[in-house]
Amino acid sequence: MADPFSIVAGTTGVIDIAFRFAQFVKNTATATAQLDDDLKAILEETEHVISVNRSIHELLSTEYFQTPTPKTAGGDALKDLWSDTERILNDCRLVLDKLLKLAKEIVGKKHERFEVGKHRSIGEWTGDFRRQLRKQKKDGEFSRLRLQLSTSQGALQTSFTMMNLWHSHKSQNTAAASLNRLLEQFGSLAIDLKAQLSSLQPADPPPYVTNKHFHAPAVNVFFTGRKALLERLSVSFMINGEGGKQIIDPMPQAQKRFVIYGLGGSGKTEFCCKYAEINQRHFWGVFWVDASSDENAQHSFRTIANVGGVDPNIKSATSWLSSLTYPWLLVLDNADNPDIPIDRYLPGGERGHILVTTRNPSLKKYGTIGGGSCQFERLEDEDAERLLLKAAEEPTPWKETAMKLAASIAKSLGHLPLAVLHAGRAIAVRLATLANYIDYFEDHWQGLRYRWQNSGYVFDDSRRNVFGSYDMIYQHLNKQPSEGARDAIEVLKLFSFFHHENILFDFLTQAAKNPWRKEKVEVEEHSKIEHDNVIDPDVVKAKPYAQRIREWVVELMSEYIDPGCATLPSVLRDSDSLGSFSVHRLRQALAELEQRSLITHRRANALDVYSMHPLVHKWVREGPHMRIAERGVWCQSAITTLTQCIAFPPLRSASAERETRRHLLPHLDHVRGCQTQIQFQIESQRKKTKRPSWLLLGTPRMDRNKVIQLAKFSRVYAECGRFDVAADLLLQVKNFLLDRLGTEDPRTLQTILALANIYWILTRYGEAVELQEQALQSYTNSLGRYHHKTLQLLDVLGKSNSFRGRFKESLELHEDALEGMRKTLPPDHPDIFRATNHMGVAHQRYFRFETAKDLHSEALVGLTRVLDSTHEDTIEAKDNLAMAHLELGGDNIFHARKLMIEVVEHRSKSLGREHPLTLWSKCNLARIKSALGQTREAEQDIRAGLPIATRIFGENHLGVLMGWTHLAQVLVRQKRYLDAEEIFSNVIERSKYKFGAREEGEHPDHIMATWYAAECYKLQGKYKQALQLCDEISKSLSSIGGRQHPFAMRLANKQDELRQLARSTKPSALTMTAFNKSSGTTIEGKEPELALDRRHSF
């Protein structure tokens, strides 16, 4: 419990580390003036912290240690003030400790003092430069810690003022004098605190800021025109600076938005690219969002969120943009879908500059400056002519004849930028001349129109100019006999089934290299297989003859299965015996397309990125030249390319592969959507023509290639949090392998366990356990009971049964697994420590928290030694140890808080802020804070996590439901009973737990939610309602055989207590029953966090 003695000790600790940090800063030379200013500012903050800690130390020492009769506490209010002050001191100490470590990282190992103005060697200047680079990399973390320190300093100042006023109030004769002084000092404090916070905020942006982030497509080299609108928009977005220069307004009165609407191909996107390019220096950040669909927008905002270091979702990204004080530009491109509300893509607040491109004129209402919007229909005559001649590469100065011919061509194409651009490129490659282009175009268009009508497509004459001019270039390239032209056409068709933006060059190179890498690895590891499979005959059973024959037949048949490379474009397929394909040949094909403006190229983060205009993208894929069967072939080619570019170690490093997969998601979504559309069209055509289905390309059959594709796609979807999709794909793989290979094939078993793991994440525990039991039977039959894999699965199955509520079976499985591992594995094998950790969880289920703490401690020490302190298994053991400390209560809760903070920080950094395990540990930390009386913070933390968890898993996910349960408990501790009761009434609906329930139809999470709801009713004096819920719990325990569990005794005592209260003539809300340590006391007078609810908190 917080008291003056602990607070004085806390101030001593803070002063100590603050002095050490200040001394380190003073003894460190700075590389540049900017670094020096930052360190001076943080030094001032540190000195403020030292000053206020001294003040608190002196006040409490005088009042409580040096007076003959110490003053007693003045009630609950003063106790709360002491508790808050102690918490703030702990937070302040942690922030200072992090700042000290960060400063040492920035300065480096050598940080000798250099006198200002003294001659400095090249090595010293090099060291300074390196320190500056490290500082820039740590700038975001440095600023966050500085803000936290300022916040803690302000909070400590507030606490000191309140304590000082409290003791002053005791010596005042009248309440009025005390009140006046309180108001006066609070006014002064508010001014001081405001000044401190203002000093921490980045200063108003200088007139000329440096661009730090630029995420926009490259501008087409032939961009021409729109000069007047570019100038108009610059004036609207900016203000006049010194010397008449245009600068960004550092203090805007309202967010500046401008909407550009018009037909496809009218140059809206290119205009925004050009504006971003020429004004790049004025914006600290330029960000691009593909708003053509909500899925694409989410992917774009995830990229922005990664820049800001916030949760990867739209809300977090837009909130981060709103908080920026430096100027930024956001482009919402292709916001054409009227069913997608654009409001959710607009950051709040007054800051920021936003451009919107759309074909939907109703969006112009969102514009706020420069007239709000502008309609793009056509280029000005002169601009269209110049664009045509530039794209045609006509020598300058342009002759009058050329200008007249260009005017005629531009007019015939309606002055549409995309059509004019492609016309110019057609002339540049000598497909036509300025003199005969119009006649050539008309002839070609009639042929195109005829082909289009015969193909069964609905004819759209409104896009005649765009599609006609583009198709001329395409057909000309398609007729070229050269290898380069053929490669270019194939790559273009391949790109049309990817998403039209952010196509990485790495996708293509890895798709070409990975099959050969895989073959090489398989050859190298072939000699190891027999060694790896050598097993003690006394431990492992021999394989049945039927299984041996099945494996031999499958291996023989697999020799004749096409590995899938045949569906790749030839430029990716043609490799030598060493797996080397021609990167130069691939780049030549891409250059052919870029030269004709069919694709665009840019460099982003050291990666080559390609894009296509949406209209060109659609035309290549769905034009009359692409028959339905050919569409099916190229769709499959895109699927194969994406499949083969996904590789797992040892083919590529985990970090490199994870980076590639991060960019794959929109392309997987697009190609799978195309595949579904093609299959529907094939089936519709089959019904119309009544042809036998084998004459048409139908639904792709399940074969080896399809299985590999689904398994790899499932991995990507699972890593991106799309667990439902991942489960559907992996289920298809499992069914195929079961049918072809049987239950005891290693590939089948691996798939079954992977699917079970996804079901476990989705809290579909019944299905997960069923699959794991099936795999365990197969492992036992083929490998024996004491094989390593069998023992591993025993341990995993025990964990699943624990989350399902089968505590007895769980404990027995863990005991068997741990006993077998200790017999057959080396004493320092990590699986022994993993099983020890899981055994600790099983004991927590039975309220044996001391035993659980010992087991988790043993596991944590062992895993830290044999793996490392950052391995996820080590972090899991630390998480479980923290919760055991929480259940033990008393001083253990402070240990729990320290451990859980480390868990949250590590998982947020390594897994991401929205990973299920991160959300789980954040909720556990909130529970610890609640047990420490920090209920406001606990409520905020849980409310921040619930929307994220609901978005990822759905509202009926067991982890989400348990999150709501914990939130309701926090509200009960705040005595907000009606709010808590409303949540409980929703959470305890039995139907919400059906997927995780046991066969008997009950789940422990539902039991515990009902238990907490009963306590909420009891505290309100609603004893009959509380008793009714307890009776329901009793029936549930009986149905699942839980009458022997320690919880049954607590329930019986609770029922007796409620019956007595219900019979009382004057019922009153009693305080919660205090349990002793053996029954799980947390802190005095408060209900313990019962172990039955340790599941997916989120």
Side-chain angles (χ1 to χ4, degrees):
M1 177 179 175
D3 54 43
F5 298 92
S6 61
I7 294 175
V8 170
T11 58
T12 303
V14 172
I15 292 172
D16 175 64
I17 191 171
F19 264 121
R20 287 191 287 118
F21 175 67
Q23 191 64 33
F24 179 83
V25 173
K26 291 177 181 178
N27 291 335
T28 301
T30 59
T32 65
Q34 179 60 38
L35 181 60
D36 184 59
D37 291 341
D38 285 342
L39 289 180
K40 283 182 178 178
I42 199 65
L43 185 58
E44 291 177 1
E45 298 293 344
T46 307
E47 291 173 349
H48 285 309
V49 170
I50 294 173
S51 176
V52 71
N53 273 272
R54 280 176 171 170
S55 300
I56 295 176
H57 188 282
E58 292 172 1
L59 172 67
L60 295 183
S61 297
T62 301
E63 292 290 337
Y64 291 92
F65 303 154
Q66 298 179 7
T67 58
T69 306
K71 297 179 181 180
T72 57
D76 292 339
L78 188 56
K79 291 181 180 179
D80 291 342
L81 181 58
W82 287 343
S83 177
D84 289 341
T85 304
E86 185 178 40
R87 174 182 56 78
I88 297 168
L89 286 170
N90 289 332
D91 292 340
C92 192
R93 181 180 56 79
L94 291 174
V95 172
L96 282 167
D97 187 51
K98 292 178 183 177
L99 275 170
L100 180 59
K101 292 179 181 177
L102 183 62
K104 289 181 178 180
E105 289 180 18
I106 293 173
V107 174
K109 296 181 180 179
K110 297 180 180 180
H111 47 273
E112 295 85 356
R113 180 179 179 88
F114 299 115
E115 297 296 334
V116 178
K118 182 181 177 182
H119 176 72
R120 309 182 70 182
S121 67
I122 296 297
E124 292 167 354
W125 282 110
T126 302
D128 288 341
F129 179 70
R130 290 173 178 170
R131 282 193 289 273
Q132 179 64 8
L133 290 180
R134 288 193 295 266
K135 194 268 178 184
Q136 291 176 353
K137 293 179 181 179
K138 299 289 186 178
D139 189 58
E141 185 178 358
F142 190 84
S143 298
R144 284 193 295 272
L145 290 174
R146 184 179 168 195
L147 179 60
Q148 291 175 16
L149 182 62
S150 176
T151 303
S152 298
Q153 186 270 329
L156 282 175
Q157 182 68 52
T158 302
S159 297
F160 168 69
T161 303
M162 293 300 295
M163 284 188 284
N164 192 33
L165 290 176
W166 180 273
H167 295 292
S168 298
H169 173 73
K170 289 292 183 179
S171 62
Q172 296 296 322
N173 295 324
T174 62
S178 177
L179 179 60
N180 290 334
R181 184 173 178 181
L182 176 65
L183 294 174
E184 180 181 354
Q185 292 202 26
F186 258 111
S188 175
L189 174 61
I191 295 173
D192 292 341
L193 186 57
K194 181 178 180 181
Q196 289 293 326
L197 293 176
S198 298
S199 68
L200 277 185
Q201 295 295 331
D204 286 340
Y208 308 104
V209 297
T210 301
N211 178 262
K212 189 173 182 179
H213 302 283
F214 189 80
H215 300 270
V219 181
N220 192 290
V221 294
F222 302 115
F223 180 88
T224 304
R226 313 289 190 190
K227 184 177 180 180
L229 182 59
L230 285 170
E231 293 177 352
R232 167 187 160 193
L233 191 58
S234 295
V235 172
S236 299
F237 269 178
M238 303 178 188
I239 62 173
N240 290 322
E242 295 181 4
K245 293 183 179 180
Q246 296 293 314
I247 63 172
I248 294 294
D249 182 359
M251 295 295 292
Q253 300 301 315
Q255 191 175 77
K256 297 182 177 182
R257 299 192 294 263
F258 192 79
V259 179
I260 303 170
Y261 65 98
L263 296 173
S266 58
K268 303 183 296 294
T269 298
E270 283 297 321
F271 173 84
C272 293
C273 292
K274 185 65 176 180
Y275 179 83
E277 180 185 79
I278 63 178
N279 291 287
Q280 177 179 351
R281 68 186 185 280
H282 293 304
F283 296 102
W284 176 83
V286 176
F287 306 100
W288 202 275
V289 171
D290 176 9
S292 58
S293 69
D294 195 55
E295 292 78 10
N296 295 337
Q298 289 181 30
H299 183 77
S300 299
F301 276 111
R302 271 196 292 268
T303 302
I304 297 174
N306 289 334
V307 173
V310 296
D311 295 335
N313 58 67
I314 294 176
K315 184 177 180 180
S316 296
T318 53
S319 297
W320 175 71
L321 288 173
S322 300
S323 68
L324 293 177
T325 54
Y326 286 108
W328 49 267
L329 173 67
L330 176 67
V331 180
L332 302 177
D333 192 27
N334 294 318
D336 303 326
N337 192 338
D339 296 328
I340 300 178
I342 197 176
D343 306 72
R344 66 193 299 254
Y345 302 155
L346 300 175
E350 298 176 343
R351 294 188 180 271
H353 306 75
I354 301 175
L355 286 175
V356 180
T357 72
T358 179
R359 285 182 286 176
N360 182 4
S362 66
L363 296 186
K364 62 184 181 182
K365 64 185 178 182
Y366 289 100
T368 61
I369 50 95
S373 64
C374 179
Q375 182 176 8
F376 273 28
E377 292 181 320
R378 59 192 295 278
L379 284 174
E380 296 295 330
D381 295 354
E382 183 178 350
D383 291 336
E385 295 159 15
R386 293 177 61 244
L387 173 60
L388 180 74
L389 293 173
K390 285 170 62 177
E393 299 179 8
E394 189 72 15
T396 55
W398 296 317
K399 298 179 182 179
E400 185 177 354
T401 304
M403 294 290 290
K404 290 182 178 180
L405 292 172
S408 298
I409 295 172
K411 182 178 181 181
S412 68
L413 297 176
H415 297 89
L416 282 175
L418 187 60
V420 172
L421 173 64
H422 285 143
R425 299 315 295 157
I427 296 171
V429 298
R430 305 295 183 264
L431 181 58
T433 65
L434 286 170
N436 68 7
Y437 179 84
I438 295 177
D439 292 336
Y440 187 89
F441 175 82
E442 291 296 338
D443 291 342
H444 184 85
W445 175 251
Q446 293 303 322
L448 175 62
R449 184 175 184 177
Y450 176 78
R451 295 199 316 271
W452 199 340
Q453 290 174 333
N454 288 341
S455 67
Y457 282 82
V458 178
F459 182 73
D460 185 4
D461 195 52
S462 65
R463 296 182 177 176
R464 166 184 180 273
N465 296 330
V466 175
F467 287 155
S469 59
Y470 154 71
D471 192 69
M472 288 175 58
I473 300 176
Y474 175 85
Q475 294 299 336
H476 177 262
L477 184 62
N478 195 32
K479 293 176 182 177
Q480 297 298 312
S482 66
E483 181 184 62
R486 185 181 72 249
D487 290 342
I489 287 293
E490 290 183 353
V491 170
L492 188 67
K493 291 179 178 178
L494 180 72
F495 279 13
S496 71
F497 287 92
F498 294 163
H499 186 268
H500 68 88
E501 286 188 341
N502 297 321
I503 304 171
L504 302 189
F505 183 75
D506 193 47
F507 293 167
L508 308 179
T509 58
Q510 297 307 320
K513 294 177 181 178
N514 283 341
W516 300 101
R517 289 172 175 165
K518 182 174 181 292
E519 183 176 339
K520 181 180 179 181
V521 171
E522 288 174 348
V523 171
E524 293 174 350
E525 293 187 347
H526 182 72
S527 60
K528 301 179 182 179
I529 296 178
E530 295 298 328
H531 178 270
D532 293 339
N533 288 334
V534 172
I535 303 169
D536 186 350
D538 296 331
V539 175
V540 183
K541 299 170 63 176
K543 294 182 180 180
Y545 283 105
Q547 182 183 352
R548 296 182 185 180
I549 295 174
R550 179 193 291 270
E551 291 178 356
W552 177 78
V553 171
V554 170
E555 182 177 357
L556 181 64
M557 293 178 62
S558 65
E559 296 293 329
Y560 299 95
I561 297 178
D562 177 19
C565 288
T567 58
L568 289 176
S570 57
V571 69
L572 303 181
R573 187 173 66 246
D574 296 343
S575 306
D576 57 31
S577 60
L578 298 177
S580 176
F581 83 108
S582 176
V583 176
H584 176 68
R585 178 180 165 187
L586 175 59
R587 289 197 180 276
Q588 280 187 317
L590 293 168
E592 287 278 356
L593 299 174
E594 188 178 0
Q595 181 184 10
R596 290 166 171 79
S597 295
L598 298 177
I599 63 174
T600 58
H601 168 259
R602 63 185 173 94
R603 291 280 295 175
N605 299 323
L607 297 174
D608 289 297
V609 184
Y610 294 89
S611 302
M612 296 176 67
H613 191 284
L615 291 180
V616 176
H617 186 253
K618 182 179 179 65
W619 175 259
V620 177
R621 186 177 66 253
E622 298 180 2
H625 56 273
M626 185 80 81
R627 297 285 182 175
I628 186 94
E630 187 180 5
R631 289 179 63 200
V633 170
W634 283 106
C635 181
Q636 184 58 46
S637 179
I639 290 174
T640 302
T641 302
L642 295 174
T643 301
Q644 292 188 180
C645 83
I646 302 172
F648 303 120
L651 298 187
R652 296 183 72 193
S653 69
S655 59
E657 180 58 26
R658 192 161 48 242
E659 181 66 17
T660 298
R661 291 196 297 269
R662 187 174 67 86
H663 296 280
L664 279 175
L665 186 61
H667 301 288
L668 298 188
D669 284 338
H670 188 269
V671 75
R672 293 180 67 236
C674 291
Q675 185 180 47
T676 301
Q677 183 185 40
I678 291 170
Q679 291 171 4
F680 176 78
Q681 291 175 349
I682 288 175
E683 184 62 24
S684 299
Q685 187 172 337
R686 186 191 67 81
K687 291 179 179 180
K688 290 180 181 178
T689 58
K690 299 182 180 180
R691 295 176 185 174
S693 60
W694 58 269
L695 292 177
L696 292 171
L697 189 66
T699 303
R701 63 187 179 90
M702 285 293 289
D703 56 17
R704 179 174 179 267
N705 295 333
K706 181 71 173 178
V707 166
I708 293 174
Q709 173 233 312
L710 294 178
K712 289 186 174 183
F713 283 16
S714 174
R715 171 74 178 270
V716 175
Y717 279 111
E719 288 181 341
C720 295
R722 305 267 294 276
F723 297 107
D724 288 333
V725 179
D728 291 340
L729 297 180
L730 210 54
L731 180 61
Q732 298 179 53
V733 176
K734 189 264 295 185
N735 292 337
F736 174 83
L737 294 179
L738 277 176
D739 181 60
R740 298 297 178 88
L741 305 180
T743 58
E744 296 183 359
D745 184 89
R747 289 160 290 188
T748 305
L749 292 172
Q750 186 178 8
T751 304
I752 287 175
L753 294 178
L755 180 59
N757 184 55
I758 294 178
Y759 282 156
W760 191 87
I761 293 173
L762 294 171
T763 63
R764 295 161 63 174
Y765 298 129
E767 295 165 277
V769 167
E770 183 179 352
L771 291 175
Q772 289 169 349
E773 288 176 342
Q774 183 181 3
L776 179 62
Q777 184 64 43
S778 298
Y779 275 136
T780 304
N781 293 337
S782 60
L783 301 177
R785 178 173 178 78
Y786 292 102
H787 186 271
H788 184 194
K789 289 185 177 180
T790 308
L791 295 173
Q792 279 181 319
L793 189 51
L794 273 175
D795 186 48
V796 171
L797 185 58
K799 186 177 179 180
S800 297
N801 272 302
S802 176
F803 280 87
R804 198 183 178 198
R806 291 190 173 276
F807 302 146
K808 181 180 179 181
E809 292 94 325
S810 171
L811 187 58
E812 291 173 350
L813 288 168
H814 285 312
E815 289 173 346
D816 291 345
L818 192 55
E819 180 184 2
M821 289 179 183
R822 285 172 173 165
K823 288 181 178 179
T824 59
L825 298 177
D828 267 359
H829 197 285
D831 279 346
I832 292 179
F833 298 115
R834 292 186 181 102
T836 302
N837 181 41
H838 298 156
M839 174 79 82
V841 175
H843 281 285
Q844 283 200 51
R845 302 294 189 258
Y846 282 96
F847 303 164
R848 302 165 189 163
F849 301 121
E850 284 289 354
T851 302
K853 185 188 75 170
D854 294 340
L855 290 170
H856 292 316
S857 298
E858 178 185 348
L860 179 59
V861 172
L863 290 170
T864 302
R865 183 174 67 252
V866 301
L867 297 175
D868 60 65
S869 60
T870 62
H871 194 281
E872 178 51 41
D873 291 332
T874 309
I875 299 300
E876 180 185 342
K878 186 179 291 187
D879 187 319
N880 291 331
L881 177 59
M883 299 315 293
H885 276 296
L886 171 64
E887 301 294 352
L888 286 170
D891 292 339
N892 287 281
I893 302 180
F894 297 99
H895 295 293
R897 183 176 184 269
K898 179 179 180 297
L899 290 169
M900 194 58 68
I901 288 175
E902 295 174 357
V903 171
V904 170
E905 290 180 348
H906 174 79
R907 283 176 169 169
S908 297
K909 184 177 180 180
S910 62
L911 302 178
R913 291 177 173 84
E914 292 195 355
H915 192 279
L917 292 178
T918 307
L919 296 172
W920 183 357
S921 55
K922 284 182 177 179
C923 184
N924 285 340
L925 179 58
R927 294 168 60 192
I928 295 171
K929 290 179 179 179
S930 179
L932 289 170
Q934 302 167 9
T935 56
R936 293 296 181 186
E937 290 185 33
E939 179 188 357
Q940 292 174 0
D941 292 347
I942 297 178
R943 288 193 184 277
L946 278 171
I948 302 173
T950 303
R951 170 169 50 80
I952 296 175
F953 298 110
E955 60 181 12
N956 287 340
H957 185 275
L958 294 185
V960 176
L961 294 173
M962 185 52 63
W964 282 108
T965 299
H966 290 314
L967 176 60
Q969 287 179 269
V970 172
L971 297 179
V972 168
R973 282 175 171 159
Q974 296 176 0
K975 300 182 180 181
R976 294 163 58 185
Y977 300 122
L978 294 181
D979 292 339
E981 185 178 328
E982 183 179 356
I983 293 176
F984 279 130
S985 64
N986 179 61
V987 167
I988 63 176
E989 291 182 19
R990 191 182 301 273
S991 62
K992 295 180 181 291
Y993 298 82
K994 59 182 179 180
F995 288 112
R998 299 165 44 137
E999 292 84 351
E1000 298 88 348
E1002 189 54 87
H1003 190 275
D1005 284 2
H1006 178 255
I1007 291 177
M1008 294 314 303
T1010 308
W1011 168 263
Y1012 293 128
E1015 185 65 25
C1016 179
Y1017 279 127
K1018 173 196 164 187
L1019 293 174
Q1020 297 178 76
K1022 301 178 180 180
Y1023 306 125
K1024 292 184 178 179
Q1025 293 94 321
L1027 182 60
Q1028 183 179 357
L1029 291 180
C1030 288
D1031 291 341
E1032 293 178 7
I1033 296 174
S1034 180
K1035 293 178 182 178
S1036 298
L1037 283 178
S1038 299
S1039 69
I1040 62 176
R1043 303 305 306 177
Q1044 302 303 316
H1045 193 279
F1047 176 71
M1049 179 62 69
R1050 294 188 180 184
L1051 177 63
N1053 293 337
K1054 177 76 72 175
Q1055 287 175 301
D1056 291 341
E1057 178 188 8
L1058 290 171
R1059 289 190 186 99
Q1060 293 178 6
L1061 292 171
R1063 287 193 295 267
S1064 174
T1065 55
K1066 295 182 179 181
S1068 61
L1070 302 180
T1071 57
M1072 290 188 286
T1073 303
F1075 294 94
N1076 58 30
K1077 268 194 172 182
S1078 63
S1079 62
T1081 301
T1082 57
I1083 56 179
E1084 184 178 352
K1086 293 189 177 181
E1087 186 85 21
E1089 297 280 354
L1090 296 183
L1092 284 174
D1093 68 345
R1094 279 281 292 125
R1095 343 227 159 269
H1096 278 295
S1097 300
F1098 295 131

